[in-house]
Amino acid sequence: MKTIYLDNNATTAVRPEVLEKMLPFFCERYGNPSSIHSFGGGVAAEIEEARRHCAEMLGVKFRDRDGLASEIIFTSCGTESDNTAINAALKARPGRNKIVTSIVEHPAILHYCEELERRGVEIVKVPVDGRGRLDMDFLKKSVDERTALVTLMWANNETGTIFPIAEAVRIAHAAGALCHSDAVQAAGKELIDADGIDIDFLSVSGHKLHAPKGVGILFARRTIPLTPFIWGGHQERMRRGGTENVASIIGLGEACRLATIEREAVQKKLAALRDRLERGITEQIPCIRINGDIENRLCNTSSVSFEYIEGESILMLLDMNNICASSGSACTTGSLEPSHVLRAMDIPYTAAHGTIRFSLSAANTEEEIDFTIKCLVPAIERLRQISPYWKGEK
Ligand code: PLP
């Protein structure tokens, strides 16, 4: 039975065009880009081409005197990009010891902030409302002359809710602070104009946009001194040590090139698929809620709460039909507690527990969506029959 993959916010398939671009860089063009000989030097030129495609996707126009998109730094993942940006901001704003972030960030931000808090950095987490929207008054009041960095995700990985990043940049800059956005879920799906909004740092992860795992981007504005997170050789202009992950960087460049060309068409297709899924669920299953900012969210993400049942049981029944999705619980911690995002949104307990995240890609079809709805209807009914909390349709 074919797998129906609706978990693209967890990771995506490498696109065949991306893989094709990568393949020569394993066994044929395996030179080290730092080598003087042309066998390696030719590879360095290909990396620069990839860097240009990444810059274009992010709306970064600056080229240095050698014509390179030098504000783009290749990293190992979104997590490394996030950590590097936070560190760099604290170094670039000496005397300021405060970071303002949100309560719903990914652990790549939150856990590093918690570690920094243990080391004496003041961390302020801005709350969200029931739709996952940022409390802008709280943000404005929190950012002051002690703030080194405002770091906010572009779009939430669980609900798809999009934050007003351009406004956050203005608030940060007005107080002399820097601004970073974890754009891991937004990149390739949303229009990003780093120059237009004058943001200082952006993080991107390859494996969320059909490039391989193990490669990411940090955009860092040239006017800000960037302290490396990983020290080593002179790679990435001394801003990130370690021999480049060449094939993956080439793949990421191609994935960004394709995302730039296809974004608008893909956005339309994904929104239509997502709406078809939500329509089918809403029409055929009682007592559900769609979470997040419905008017302002990622085109591919649907967070649905099926009340009075456990998300994990739903996932198991979907898995029996080869359908992959994910739940809104912090199951990585071994508990079935609702995730920090759902808790921050104050989703009622009975709904938070039965929350499923469907995240689509352009490879999904209407037939897959219809089949998913067809499987969900009896699965939810069956689980509710055995749920001690289910007292029939309300
Ligand atoms: N930020 C967000 C919003 C994410 O969704 C993820 C991954 O799920 C990350 C950061 C971490 O990215 P990576 O897996 O490349 O480290």
Side-chain angles (χ1 to χ4, degrees):
M1 204 197 292
K2 188 176 161 261
T3 298
I4 298 179
Y5 188 74
L6 307 179
D7 201 13
N8 287 277
N9 287 9
T11 197
T12 60
V14 173
R15 280 177 67 158
E17 304 93 312
V18 168
L19 178 64
E20 199 183 319
K21 277 268 176 190
M22 292 171 64
L23 285 176
F25 294 90
F26 288 103
C27 301
E28 296 155 40
R29 304 185 64 188
Y30 52 83
N32 188 323
S34 298
S35 298
I36 299 292
H37 48 70
S38 53
F39 186 63
V43 172
E46 298 284 352
I47 289 184
E48 293 318 319
E49 179 73 359
R51 207 184 298 280
R52 194 168 60 77
H53 294 315
C54 297
E56 269 159 24
M57 186 187 73
L58 297 175
V60 174
K61 293 172 200 76
F62 173 75
R63 301 287 181 271
D64 66 15
R65 63 179 185 283
D66 300 323
L68 305 178
S70 56
E71 292 180 320
I72 300 293
I73 299 156
F74 290 115
T75 63
S76 67
C77 58
T79 302
E80 184 192 323
S81 303
D82 285 346
N83 281 224
T84 307
I86 290 174
N87 249 23
L90 286 172
K91 289 263 182 185
R93 288 288 181 271
R96 292 176 177 235
N97 195 34
K98 179 173 169 185
I99 294 173
V100 178
T101 185
S102 87
I103 192 166
V104 294
E105 296 296 307
H106 188 272
I109 294 288
L110 280 184
H111 287 173
Y112 191 45
C113 283
E114 283 157 16
E115 168 58 15
L116 289 173
E117 199 167 31
R118 288 188 283 274
R119 295 188 213 162
V121 178
E122 185 187 351
I123 306 291
V124 176
K125 295 178 193 163
V126 180
V128 295
D129 68 8
R131 288 265 160 226
R133 293 172 297 200
L134 203 64
D135 183 335
M136 293 306 283
D137 287 336
F138 194 104
L139 176 68
K140 280 181 207 143
K141 281 185 198 133
S142 306
V143 181
D144 56 22
E145 71 293 342
R146 290 174 297 128
T147 309
L149 179 70
V150 174
T151 173
L152 294 167
M153 64 204 323
W154 199 291
N156 187 270
N157 46 303
E158 289 190 35
T159 63
T161 299
I162 293 172
F163 278 168
I165 298 300
E167 177 64 8
V169 175
R170 283 192 284 274
I171 293 169
H173 286 180
L178 297 170
C179 190
H180 163 253
S181 181
D182 174 340
V184 164
Q185 293 294 347
K189 297 171 202 149
E190 284 297 310
L191 176 66
I192 294 184
D193 183 7
D195 283 354
I197 63 169
D198 197 26
I199 197 160
D200 303 295
F201 301 103
L202 279 171
S203 301
V204 175
S205 171
H207 73 105
K208 311 286 186 181
L209 63 136
H210 303 286
K213 296 165 186 61
V215 66
I217 302 169
L218 173 65
F219 158 75
R221 180 121 0 247
R222 66 190 176 285
T223 45
I224 299 151
L226 187 91
T227 309
F229 197 60
I230 296 186
W231 290 82
H234 59 268
Q235 294 90 357
E236 300 298 282
R237 302 188 153 209
M238 302 283 291
R239 290 168 305 173
R240 202 274 184 184
T243 300
E244 295 87 343
N245 180 0
V246 176
S248 295
I249 289 172
I250 302 297
L252 178 54
E254 181 64 3
C256 290
R257 191 184 72 79
L258 293 168
T260 307
I261 300 170
E262 298 171 359
R263 187 182 47 79
E264 282 180 32
V266 167
Q267 243 179 356
K268 259 194 211 126
K269 177 180 176 178
L270 289 177
L273 286 176
R274 179 202 61 194
D275 293 348
R276 189 183 184 95
L277 175 69
E278 291 185 349
R279 209 167 35 247
I281 291 174
T282 312
E283 283 171 4
Q284 297 183 49
I285 304 176
C287 297
I288 62 110
R289 20 186 316 155
I290 313 251
N291 303 308
D293 187 357
I294 307 298
E295 282 84 42
N296 192 24
R297 61 182 167 148
L298 290 177
C299 52
N300 80 319
T301 306
S302 177
S303 167
V304 186
S305 296
F306 299 91
E307 294 195 74
Y308 310 108
I309 45 179
E310 290 287 351
E312 278 60 33
S313 316
I314 306 170
L315 287 185
M316 267 155 51
L317 293 184
L318 288 176
D319 194 39
M320 283 162 67
N321 290 289
N322 276 7
I323 300 168
C324 310
S326 66
S327 77
S329 72
C331 48
T332 42
T333 61
S335 79
L336 291 181
E337 275 301 295
S339 73
H340 70 290
V341 177
L342 298 174
R343 275 184 279 136
M345 290 164 64
D346 235 350
I347 306 285
Y349 212 60
T350 48
H353 271 283
T355 301
I356 300 291
R357 177 190 69 187
F358 301 97
S359 49
L360 317 180
S361 86
N364 291 127
T365 62
E366 291 185 349
E367 291 69 36
E368 289 180 336
I369 297 299
D370 294 346
F371 182 70
T372 302
I373 298 164
K374 199 171 146 208
C375 294
L376 266 172
V377 174
I380 302 299
E381 203 176 301
R382 194 171 138 196
L383 292 170
R384 281 182 175 160
Q385 291 314 323
I386 54 171
S387 163
Y389 306 104
W390 176 250
K391 308 257 186 313
E393 197 170 325
K394 309 255 179 338

